[in-house]
């Protein structure tokens, strides 16, 4: 080997070691970056020694796809759970102490106390006050349900805008990947960015991907609609200005195809959008219908006969009334009734009407309005008994269509708690699956500091060997020049 050849080999070794060191340094710098895939220099033999011929980016397509799917499932389940937790908090938290069922039981107890001392005006006032608390709890909860729907609608609009922005970014990055691949350049940076965007997209809407020639990627929604192919498909949504029980929210469309809402406590939703639709259009409306039926039950149970006795004239509300001012038909939900439920103002002015009747001119007390019997309890006992007797409820509420109002109110809370509890367990399971998937992917594509530092030590030895070779050549050149002199 000539001295010039030795110098060329040493120079090549320096260049190769420098390139490898730069890659190792970059890996170490990104050790905590979950969106970075480890790089490795692939060497090839040449007449002048080893050289870096390409940069290999660690990847595992199967685990990446599983991670993206798990992100969507976990995101959807988590968003559903947070909505259910918000509903629970509107009812007082863990013990549901401000739920209609709690106030209904308290009101029943007040009626029983009043019935035991029917001549006590203070007990009458207390019972009417508890009735007011009950009506307020139902209307407040109904308003909270509609606020949840309105907030979900607003969040949908925000997430749709974010999704469209991410798809636009994905188009630019995907084009960069295709261009670098076609030209034989290293697309690693663009691939990292593309994978990061895919993860962000999957948090919003469930997706699957297919990779074609030149690393071109096509994105489909969970139900098979094309979300991106060469260019992004338009995702559209028109939010509502306000919500009440009679308003139905608008759909989300991907290239004209509606996005399906999630279903079940262990939701089928992948991504936030499907869960938000489920909360807005399924969970909240069903709970609203249960509140409406509780309110309708109260108006019905405490109604008062018509004064003329003519069958054509309907019975009128008594202690409890609402904006409609009538006694609704039995067994049918009246959307929005709960939001306007209130105690009859006449009861506040004269609490003894609860004992004697007379809200609609029909006095039940045998002593009449002028000289009522202070010991009369017939009406009160009838109310108490009726609260424990079966009545017809709309089966569309998802609860028993024939039960007492007390049992129906309790079942409503049980329905919500079972839904929340199941959703919580499912959220824990899906979060655990996501964590394990990401851990497995990290082991395959992430940076190990120990491995990189070990490789750095090897490169240091390689550099020392190359430096020794240069030093030896330098000494031989000096000896040769000395000999020539």
């Amino acid at each position: 080997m000539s001295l010039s050849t030795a110098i060329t080999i040493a120079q090549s070794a320096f260049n190769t070691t420098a390139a490898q060191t730069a890659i190792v340094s970059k890996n170490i710098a990104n050790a905590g970056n979950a969106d970075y895939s480890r790089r490795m220099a692939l060497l090839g033999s040449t007449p002048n020694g080893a050289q870096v011929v390409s940069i290999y980016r660690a990847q595992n397509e199967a685990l990446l796809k599983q991670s993206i799917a798990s992100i969507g499932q976990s995101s959807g389940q988590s968003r559903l759970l947070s909505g259910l937790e918000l509903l629970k908090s509107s009812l007082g938290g863990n013990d549901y102490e401000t739920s209609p069922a709690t106030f209904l039981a308290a009101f029943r107890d007040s009626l029983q106390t009043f019935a035991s001392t029917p001549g006590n005006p203070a007990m009458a006032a207390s019972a009417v006050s508890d009735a007011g608390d009950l009506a307020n709890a139902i209307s407040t909860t109904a308003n909270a349900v509609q606020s949840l729907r309105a907030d979900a609608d607003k969040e949908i609009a925000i997430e749709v805008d974010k999704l469209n922005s991410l798809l636009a970014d994905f188009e630019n990055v995907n084009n960069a990947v295709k261009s670098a691949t076609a030209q034989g350049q290293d697309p690693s940076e663009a691939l990292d960015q593309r994978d990061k965007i895919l993860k962000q997209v999957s948090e919003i809407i469930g997706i699957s991907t297919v990779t074609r020639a030149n690393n071109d990627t096509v994105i489909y929604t969970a139900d098979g609609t094309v979300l991106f192919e060469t260019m992004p498909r338009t995702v559209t949504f028109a939010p509502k200005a306000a919500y009440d029980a009679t308003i139905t929210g608008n759909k989300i469309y991907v290239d004209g195809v509606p996005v399906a809402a999630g279903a079940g406590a262990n939701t089928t939703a992948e991504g936030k959008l499907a869960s938000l639709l489920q909360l807005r259009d399924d969970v909240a409306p069903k709970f609203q219908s249960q509140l409406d039926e509780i309110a309708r039950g109260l108006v019905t149970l405490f109604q008062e006969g018509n004064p003329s006795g003519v069958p054509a004239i309907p019975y009128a509300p008594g202690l409890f009334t609402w904006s409609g001012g009538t006694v609704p038909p039995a067994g049918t939900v009246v959307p929005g009734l709960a939001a306007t439920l209130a105690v009859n103002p006449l009861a506040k002015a004269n609490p003894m009407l609860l004992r004697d009747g007379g809200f609609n001119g029909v006095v039940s007390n045998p002593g009449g309005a002028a000289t009522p019997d202070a010991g009369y309890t017939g009406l009160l006992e009838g109310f108490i008994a009726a609260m424990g007797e079966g009545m017809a409820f709309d089966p569309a509420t998802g609860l028993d269509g024939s039960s007492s109002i007390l049992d129906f109110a309790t079942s409503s809370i049980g329905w919500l708690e079972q839904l929340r509890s199941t959703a919580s367990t499912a959220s824990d399971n899906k979060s655990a699956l996501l964590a394990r998937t990401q851990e497995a992917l990290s082991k395959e594509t992430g940076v190990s500091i120990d491995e990189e530092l070990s490789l750095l030590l090897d490169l240091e030895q390689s550099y020392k060997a190359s430096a020794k070779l240069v030093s030896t050549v330098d000494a031989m050149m000096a000896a040769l020049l000395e000999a020539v002199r």
Side-chain angles (χ1 to χ4, degrees):
M1 178 189 297
S2 65
L3 294 180
S4 61
T5 300
I7 288 294
T8 301
I9 292 174
Q11 181 63 46
S12 175
F14 280 133
N15 292 337
T16 301
T17 302
Q20 290 178 287
T21 302
I23 292 172
V24 171
S25 298
K26 187 172 186 177
N27 286 342
I28 293 174
N30 286 277
N33 185 355
D35 299 312
Y36 177 85
S37 290
R38 184 175 73 255
R39 316 283 202 266
M40 290 168 282
L42 298 182
L43 305 181
S45 297
T46 68
N48 294 325
Q51 289 185 347
V52 176
V53 295
S54 65
I55 305 299
Y56 171 75
R57 175 180 177 268
Q59 55 188 353
N60 187 310
E61 285 298 319
L63 282 175
L64 176 61
K65 289 184 176 182
Q66 179 60 48
S67 177
I68 289 173
S70 295
I71 289 172
Q73 293 165 2
S74 179
S75 174
Q77 189 69 55
S78 176
R79 187 60 189 86
L80 174 64
L81 177 60
S82 65
L84 293 172
E85 292 285 4
L86 189 60
L87 275 181
K88 181 177 180 178
S89 67
S90 71
L91 296 170
N94 289 334
D95 296 327
Y96 292 97
E97 56 267 23
T98 61
S99 70
T102 301
F103 283 101
L104 188 59
F107 173 57
R108 188 265 318 272
D109 293 342
S110 288
L111 285 179
Q112 291 174 332
T113 302
F114 183 29
S116 66
T117 54
N120 190 331
M123 291 297 97
S126 177
V128 170
S129 176
D130 285 346
D133 291 341
L134 171 59
N136 183 65
I138 293 174
S139 61
T140 298
T141 304
N143 290 330
V145 170
Q146 295 309 316
S147 293
L148 173 68
R149 296 183 70 209
D151 290 345
D153 199 74
K154 292 175 183 177
E155 188 174 347
I156 289 172
I158 293 172
E159 294 297 330
V160 166
D161 288 343
K162 182 179 178 181
L163 177 58
N164 283 318
S165 177
L166 286 171
L167 291 174
D169 293 341
F170 185 86
E171 180 180 17
N172 295 331
V173 174
N174 191 59
N175 288 337
V177 170
K178 291 192 296 181
S179 177
T181 302
Q183 296 175 26
Q185 299 174 352
D186 179 23
S188 297
E189 293 294 335
L191 285 170
D192 281 351
Q193 295 178 38
R194 191 171 72 176
D195 289 350
K196 179 180 180 180
I197 293 174
L198 284 174
K199 294 174 184 177
Q200 293 173 328
V201 168
S202 67
E203 290 183 2
I204 301 173
I205 187 169
I207 60 172
S208 61
T209 61
V210 173
T211 302
R212 306 187 299 193
N214 286 334
N215 269 330
D216 180 27
T217 291
V218 180
I219 307 176
Y220 300 92
T221 63
D223 58 5
T225 304
V226 176
L227 189 61
F228 179 93
E229 184 176 15
T230 306
M231 60 183 295
R233 299 299 190 262
T234 304
V235 184
T236 58
F237 173 70
K240 294 282 189 178
Y243 269 87
D244 62 35
T246 64
I247 292 177
T248 301
N250 290 321
K251 296 181 180 296
I252 307 167
Y253 293 95
V254 176
D255 202 22
V257 179
V259 174
N266 184 2
T267 183
T268 59
E270 295 184 27
K272 293 179 182 178
L273 291 181
S275 286
L276 288 167
L277 289 174
Q278 183 179 359
L279 284 168
R280 189 196 69 180
D281 301 336
D282 179 23
V283 175
K286 185 163 287 187
F287 189 55
Q288 173 70 56
S289 70
Q290 295 170 6
L291 294 171
D292 288 335
E293 280 293 81
I294 294 172
R296 184 190 62 79
L298 288 171
V299 174
T300 300
L301 290 178
F302 289 85
Q303 66 183 313
E304 194 166 272
N306 70 75
S308 66
V310 179
I313 299 178
Y315 279 46
L319 177 62
F320 293 99
T321 186
W322 63 294
S323 61
T326 63
V327 178
T332 303
V333 172
V334 179
L337 191 157
T340 61
L341 183 70
V343 167
N344 196 318
L346 294 175
K348 297 178 181 179
N350 181 11
M352 283 301 181
L353 290 176
L354 182 58
R355 179 196 67 183
D356 302 332
F359 290 105
N360 197 30
V362 179
V363 178
S364 299
N365 193 307
T371 57
D373 179 359
Y376 174 67
T377 60
L379 198 58
L380 290 173
E381 290 174 352
F383 289 149
I384 295 168
M387 292 178 71
E389 295 173 353
M391 62 183 299
F393 292 102
D394 195 329
T397 60
L399 303 178
D400 191 351
S402 178
S403 67
S404 71
I405 192 170
L406 290 167
D407 289 341
F408 187 86
T410 301
S411 296
S412 176
I413 298 303
W415 173 85
L416 178 60
E417 177 56 25
Q418 182 178 14
L419 196 66
R420 188 208 63 81
S421 178
T422 303
S424 178
T425 300
S427 181
D428 291 341
N429 292 339
K430 291 176 181 179
S431 295
L433 176 60
L434 173 60
R436 292 192 182 101
T437 302
Q438 289 180 329
E439 181 182 0
L441 181 62
S442 178
K443 288 180 179 179
E444 292 288 330
T445 65
V447 175
S448 168
I449 292 291
D450 292 340
E451 291 181 8
E452 299 303 321
L453 291 177
S454 177
L455 180 57
L456 202 59
L457 291 174
D458 292 340
L459 293 174
E460 181 183 4
Q461 296 303 315
S462 177
Y463 180 85
K464 288 181 178 179
S466 300
K468 182 65 175 178
L469 176 59
V470 171
S471 176
T472 301
V473 170
D474 180 63
M476 293 176 68
M477 288 290 290
L480 179 60
L481 289 174
E482 185 64 30
V484 171
R485 290 177 186 163

